[in-house]
Amino acid sequence: MSAHCQVTGRKPGFGKSVSHSHRRTSRRWDPNIQKKSYYLPSEGRRITLTVSAKGIKTIDRDGIEAVVAKIRAAGGKV
């Protein structure tokens, strides 16, 4: 599963870990991605989305129908 949110578009952040001796090594910060299933009443079926924790809050606020319409308008596959 890729670390990419279908709702908010969040992706991993990249940077450096700095040790006590100041040695720098590459690392990445992954978003909190979850697989979540939602019921679409207009289509009468369930869909599975990979969403971040913030994406789940966005769906709770705006509603699944509005979020799916926005994803499809942007050219995303649902």
mmCIF file of all heavy atoms in Angstrom, residues 14 18 25 42-43 61 69 73 78:
data_model
loop_
_atom_site.group_PDB
_atom_site.id
_atom_site.type_symbol
_atom_site.label_atom_id
_atom_site.label_comp_id
_atom_site.label_asym_id
_atom_site.label_seq_id
_atom_site.Cartn_x
_atom_site.Cartn_y
_atom_site.Cartn_z
ATOM 1 N N PHE A 14 10.403 13.917 3.369
ATOM 2 C CA PHE A 14 11.764 13.416 3.405
ATOM 3 C C PHE A 14 12.666 14.423 4.103
ATOM 4 O O PHE A 14 12.436 15.625 4.031
ATOM 5 C CB PHE A 14 12.285 13.156 1.985
ATOM 6 C CG PHE A 14 11.540 12.059 1.287
ATOM 7 C CD1 PHE A 14 10.420 12.340 0.527
ATOM 8 C CD2 PHE A 14 11.942 10.751 1.415
ATOM 9 C CE1 PHE A 14 9.717 11.339 -0.104
ATOM 10 C CE2 PHE A 14 11.253 9.733 0.785
ATOM 11 C CZ PHE A 14 10.137 10.023 0.023
ATOM 12 N N VAL A 18 19.284 13.534 12.601
ATOM 13 C CA VAL A 18 20.550 14.072 13.092
ATOM 14 C C VAL A 18 20.828 13.445 14.451
ATOM 15 O O VAL A 18 20.065 13.626 15.402
ATOM 16 C CB VAL A 18 20.509 15.611 13.201
ATOM 17 C CG1 VAL A 18 21.846 16.158 13.651
ATOM 18 C CG2 VAL A 18 20.112 16.218 11.870
ATOM 19 N N THR A 25 21.611 11.123 8.536
ATOM 20 C CA THR A 25 21.193 10.003 7.699
ATOM 21 C C THR A 25 19.795 10.295 7.170
ATOM 22 O O THR A 25 18.994 10.966 7.829
ATOM 23 C CB THR A 25 21.169 8.674 8.488
ATOM 24 O OG1 THR A 25 20.359 8.833 9.642
ATOM 25 C CG2 THR A 25 22.573 8.265 8.902
ATOM 26 N N SER A 42 -25.730 6.660 -3.185
ATOM 27 C CA SER A 42 -26.156 6.976 -4.547
ATOM 28 C C SER A 42 -25.878 5.830 -5.514
ATOM 29 O O SER A 42 -26.604 5.654 -6.492
ATOM 30 C CB SER A 42 -25.460 8.244 -5.041
ATOM 31 O OG SER A 42 -24.063 8.034 -5.106
ATOM 32 N N GLU A 43 -24.823 5.055 -5.253
ATOM 33 C CA GLU A 43 -24.475 3.930 -6.124
ATOM 34 C C GLU A 43 -24.883 2.587 -5.530
ATOM 35 O O GLU A 43 -24.803 1.566 -6.211
ATOM 36 C CB GLU A 43 -22.971 3.936 -6.412
ATOM 37 C CG GLU A 43 -22.527 5.176 -7.164
ATOM 38 C CD GLU A 43 -21.035 5.175 -7.426
ATOM 39 O OE1 GLU A 43 -20.401 4.104 -7.330
ATOM 40 O OE2 GLU A 43 -20.506 6.256 -7.740
ATOM 41 N N ARG A 61 -16.605 15.592 7.963
ATOM 42 C CA ARG A 61 -17.100 16.970 7.898
ATOM 43 C C ARG A 61 -17.939 17.237 6.654
ATOM 44 O O ARG A 61 -19.032 17.783 6.731
ATOM 45 C CB ARG A 61 -15.912 17.934 7.942
ATOM 46 C CG ARG A 61 -16.309 19.397 8.003
ATOM 47 C CD ARG A 61 -15.107 20.301 7.819
ATOM 48 N NE ARG A 61 -14.625 20.187 6.450
ATOM 49 C CZ ARG A 61 -13.347 20.297 6.104
ATOM 50 N NH1 ARG A 61 -12.417 20.495 7.024
ATOM 51 N NH2 ARG A 61 -12.983 20.206 4.848
ATOM 52 N N ALA A 69 -17.092 12.893 -5.209
ATOM 53 C CA ALA A 69 -17.291 13.744 -6.387
ATOM 54 C C ALA A 69 -16.057 14.606 -6.646
ATOM 55 O O ALA A 69 -15.654 14.786 -7.800
ATOM 56 C CB ALA A 69 -18.522 14.626 -6.180
ATOM 57 N N ALA A 73 -13.673 14.434 -9.926
ATOM 58 C CA ALA A 73 -13.476 15.645 -10.728
ATOM 59 C C ALA A 73 -11.992 15.930 -10.958
ATOM 60 O O ALA A 73 -11.619 16.479 -11.990
ATOM 61 C CB ALA A 73 -14.138 16.834 -10.030
ATOM 62 N N VAL A 78 -11.955 5.926 -8.117
ATOM 63 C CA VAL A 78 -12.620 5.469 -6.890
ATOM 64 C C VAL A 78 -13.383 4.208 -7.191
ATOM 65 O O VAL A 78 -14.050 4.079 -8.167
ATOM 66 C CB VAL A 78 -13.569 6.553 -6.333
ATOM 67 C CG1 VAL A 78 -14.273 6.040 -5.105
ATOM 68 C CG2 VAL A 78 -12.792 7.798 -5.994
#
